[in-house]
Amino acid sequence: MKRHTILIVITLILAGMLSCSSGDTATVTIDTGIRKQAQLTVWDKVLAWITLSQPVKADPVPIELYQIDSIAVTISASDMGTIKEAIQLETGRITLEVPAGSQRTFEVVATTPDYPRFYGGIATVDLSAGQQVALNIEMGELVNIYSWDYGYDQQDNIYIGIDIQSSSNVNGFKIYLENNGQHVLIDTITNFPPPDPLHYYYRIYYPGFDESNPEAYYISGINEYGEGEQIQCSIP
């Protein structure tokens, strides 16, 4: 009898451990919508009907889409470890178990041979334990900086000049400083004059720039689809 009691107690403990571990996550299916603009499959239509999700209207896909050689998703939050997984190019979709909680940020980035961060999408959602979520992430072209340097105007005020590779919408710039091989974010600029309309050239006055060590600075552009590649200063 005592042996049976011990076995029952162990069984209950194990069952409780399993239920806790499985109950602390949500199942998230991420659909990048890339899939070379293929038509929706029957599964896509069934999934949309079950989840009552609305179709997302994405930007027109550029020719470079067909040069994409990898897609990855990074999931982060302040109270969990970062998760990074590759997404199959054939489907543009992945299903993951993600710790439940608030403010889970999903960042998808597609790379090409020329651009490590060419195409992307970002979404932040709250997840409940046991929830099943079909997350359609709207994808678009990230801000690709061709080059940037610094200079002085006629009043001897220092500025940063940023040359954008394309006409991608720009919501801001992030400035990083290299420290022991790591790029440390030191500033985010969201208030700046409009660019030169012909060349997509931005001039931003930045008095805190240390001209004695310009190679330590990196800048990336941000828009509604996420953050572009961090580009090192070009010495003028």
Side-chain angles (χ1 to χ4, degrees):
M1 181 66 180
K2 184 177 181 180
R3 181 182 177 186
H4 291 168
T5 303
I6 294 174
L7 289 175
I8 292 173
V9 170
I10 292 174
T11 302
L12 290 174
I13 291 174
L14 289 174
M17 291 173 61
L18 290 173
S19 63
C20 288
S21 61
S22 61
D24 291 340
T25 63
T27 303
V28 181
T29 297
I30 302 165
D31 192 346
T32 66
I34 289 182
R35 286 199 303 283
K36 314 282 186 189
Q37 293 301 287
Q39 296 296 319
L40 290 177
T41 64
V42 174
W43 167 246
D44 289 323
K45 296 175 182 178
V46 171
L47 187 63
W49 180 79
I50 292 174
T51 60
L52 300 178
S53 60
Q54 298 296 318
V56 175
K57 184 179 181 181
D59 280 358
V61 177
I63 295 175
E64 288 86 346
L65 173 68
Y66 302 100
Q67 301 175 8
I68 286 177
D69 50 23
S70 70
I71 310 173
V73 59
T74 301
I75 308 166
S76 59
S78 60
D79 60 345
M80 58 169 275
T82 299
I83 300 172
K84 185 172 183 178
E85 295 288 345
I87 299 177
Q88 294 295 320
L89 292 172
E90 293 78 12
T91 64
R93 181 191 288 126
I94 190 172
T95 299
L96 297 168
E97 293 294 321
V98 180
S102 61
Q103 297 294 291
R104 271 50 181 145
T105 297
F106 295 77
E107 183 181 22
V108 176
V109 173
T111 69
T112 70
D114 296 325
Y115 299 100
R117 297 177 69 88
F118 172 73
Y119 216 60
I122 192 166
T124 300
V125 297
D126 297 336
L127 298 175
S128 302
Q131 186 179 10
Q132 295 190 10
V133 179
L135 187 60
N136 294 320
I137 296 182
E138 183 178 2
M139 302 284 287
E141 187 175 351
L142 297 172
V143 178
N144 289 296
I145 297 175
Y146 177 70
S147 65
W148 70 274
D149 57 15
Y150 67 95
Y152 296 87
D153 64 12
Q154 294 180 348
Q155 287 73 43
D156 209 28
N157 297 312
I158 193 168
Y159 65 83
I160 293 172
I162 305 173
D163 188 7
I164 301 298
Q165 184 75 12
S166 67
S167 58
S168 300
N169 184 43
V170 178
N171 293 341
F173 296 96
K174 290 186 176 183
I175 300 179
Y176 295 85
L177 194 62
E178 186 174 8
N179 184 13
N180 295 324
Q182 301 293 321
H183 295 180
V184 180
L185 179 65
I186 61 171
D187 204 354
T188 300
I189 300 174
T190 57
N191 186 18
F192 46 85
D196 180 327
L198 297 179
H199 305 288
Y200 307 111
Y201 180 84
Y202 291 81
R203 176 180 285 194
I204 301 172
Y205 286 93
Y206 196 70
F209 187 83
D210 182 7
E211 60 180 309
S212 67
N213 190 24
E215 298 108 324
Y217 286 87
Y218 291 76
I219 292 181
S220 65
I222 51 178
N223 62 10
E224 64 267 37
Y225 302 115
E227 181 180 1
E229 182 69 7
Q230 298 173 21
I231 303 298
Q232 188 177 24
C233 178
S234 301
I235 306 302

